[in-house]
Amino acid sequence: MASSIDCPPRPRHRAPYRASVRARGRAVRVAVALAVLTALSGCGTDTGTTARDTPAATAPAGGAPGTAHTAPGTADATPGPAGTAQGRPGAAAQTPPPARIPGLGPRTRAWIPATARQVVVVTGRDKDANRSEAVLYRHTGSGWEGGPAWPARNALRGWTDDHWAGDLRSPVGVFTLTDAGGLLPDPGTELPYDRSEGFAVGGTGFEGEPLEGSFDYVIAIDYNREPGTSPLDPTRPLGAGRGGGIWLHVDHQGPTQGCVSLSERHMEELLRTLDPDRHPVIVMGDADSLSR
């Protein structure tokens, strides 16, 4: 979540919750709002796993290195003789998408579940940097096609393979993306979406920037959380000491406590694009760590 506040405590949700969360009583919303104002220890704290040892806190890793990044399927066009595409005489040959996502090494690729067909890759500038970029890759059946690079931010002190609550670093790893929510209405996502006043936030971030609006749109990163619940769910399967509340959320023009932030426009686009049937995941970390 955003840089200077903790994830607000909230009663646990169980999927499906798309309809039920919108019928919550006023008392629950007020309680959550009060919790937001009083919690200060960090949305953006991590799980009880070391990404180096356990690929993802809640998702199985893919197969052996070099296998999880590809998927069965036929190419859209197989290059034919004389620079034409087979079955399309006279058509210019097209470069097929790469079989591997650029920038990811064998260890990282092995963490990606074999079922994943949408992968958000967030690459930090270096281990201690809080600026990064995000690219959404889609598997076409013949390879990985990347979208445009979006500017992003991560935790104040950069990245870590061994994250603990309050270390102000984002966790390195591969994690599923199963649940969303926000203060604003559902923009048209296929993910379960919890619209709640519990996402209201105030105050300022590390650089004095206002945090208001940071949680207008949120996608929970399944890092020390229970998939199938609202992003506001406080459950920490691996213990509070490893933190939690690692989200994709709206950028507030400053570093986070552990989350990844994108512009509101890009968050809205991502929400509309992610498809649970394509088993989306996020791959996140500094460039050197991801290249291993």
Side-chain angles (χ1 to χ4, degrees), residues 4-291:
S4 313
I5 65 168
D6 195 2
C7 294
R10 189 173 182 83
R12 291 175 62 178
H13 291 51
R14 298 289 182 181
Y17 61 83
R18 183 188 293 269
S20 64
V21 293
R22 296 176 184 172
R24 288 190 231 280
R26 186 164 179 248
V28 174
R29 292 196 299 269
V30 171
V32 172
L34 290 173
V36 172
L37 296 175
T38 57
L40 295 172
S41 60
C43 253
T45 52
D46 22 349
T47 77
T49 63
T50 304
R52 191 168 26 234
D53 300 323
T54 306
T58 54
T67 62
H69 58 282
T70 60
T74 56
D76 295 331
T78 303
T84 62
Q86 278 186 350
R88 298 168 55 197
Q94 296 183 5
T95 303
R100 297 178 177 179
I101 296 175
L104 305 186
R107 181 191 71 163
T108 304
R109 296 197 306 269
W111 292 348
I112 300 175
T115 55
R117 294 295 178 270
Q118 290 180 322
V119 177
V120 181
V121 178
V122 179
T123 307
R125 295 180 180 179
D126 61 56
K127 195 77 172 179
D128 299 320
N130 53 51
R131 294 294 187 102
S132 46
E133 71 173 24
V135 177
L136 173 60
Y137 287 88
R138 305 172 179 87
H139 203 284
T140 66
S142 58
W144 291 99
E145 184 177 84
W150 297 334
R153 298 178 197 260
N154 51 276
L156 178 68
R157 295 177 182 168
W159 302 90
T160 180
D161 287 315
D162 186 23
H163 174 73
W164 288 82
D167 67 6
L168 299 182
R169 290 183 179 270
S170 297
V172 175
V174 176
F175 311 99
T176 52
L177 301 172
T178 56
D179 305 282
L183 188 64
L184 297 182
D186 182 347
T189 184
E190 293 297 319
L191 298 174
Y193 189 90
D194 178 8
R195 184 190 181 188
S196 170
E197 292 180 9
F199 292 101
V201 63
T204 56
F206 291 114
E207 298 178 354
E209 75 282 6
L211 298 176
E212 184 178 1
S214 300
F215 308 149
D216 282 354
Y217 294 123
V218 159
I219 300 170
I221 295 170
D222 290 341
Y223 192 59
N224 198 19
R225 70 178 299 271
E226 194 166 325
T229 63
S230 166
L232 293 170
D233 188 282
T235 305
R236 300 290 175 258
L238 300 171
R242 288 292 191 162
I246 305 296
W247 294 352
L248 280 157
H249 65 71
V250 176
D251 181 35
H252 47 76
Q253 302 301 309
T256 72
Q257 285 207 20
C259 297
V260 173
S261 64
L262 300 170
S263 72
E264 184 161 341
R265 177 169 63 90
H266 292 149
M267 277 296 299
E268 189 172 357
E269 182 176 342
L270 188 59
L271 279 164
R272 289 174 174 169
T273 303
L274 293 181
D275 181 355
D277 291 338
R278 295 181 66 80
H279 307 286
V281 301
I282 185 169
V283 178
M284 50 193 278
D286 59 284
D288 181 63
S289 293
L290 296 186
S291 68

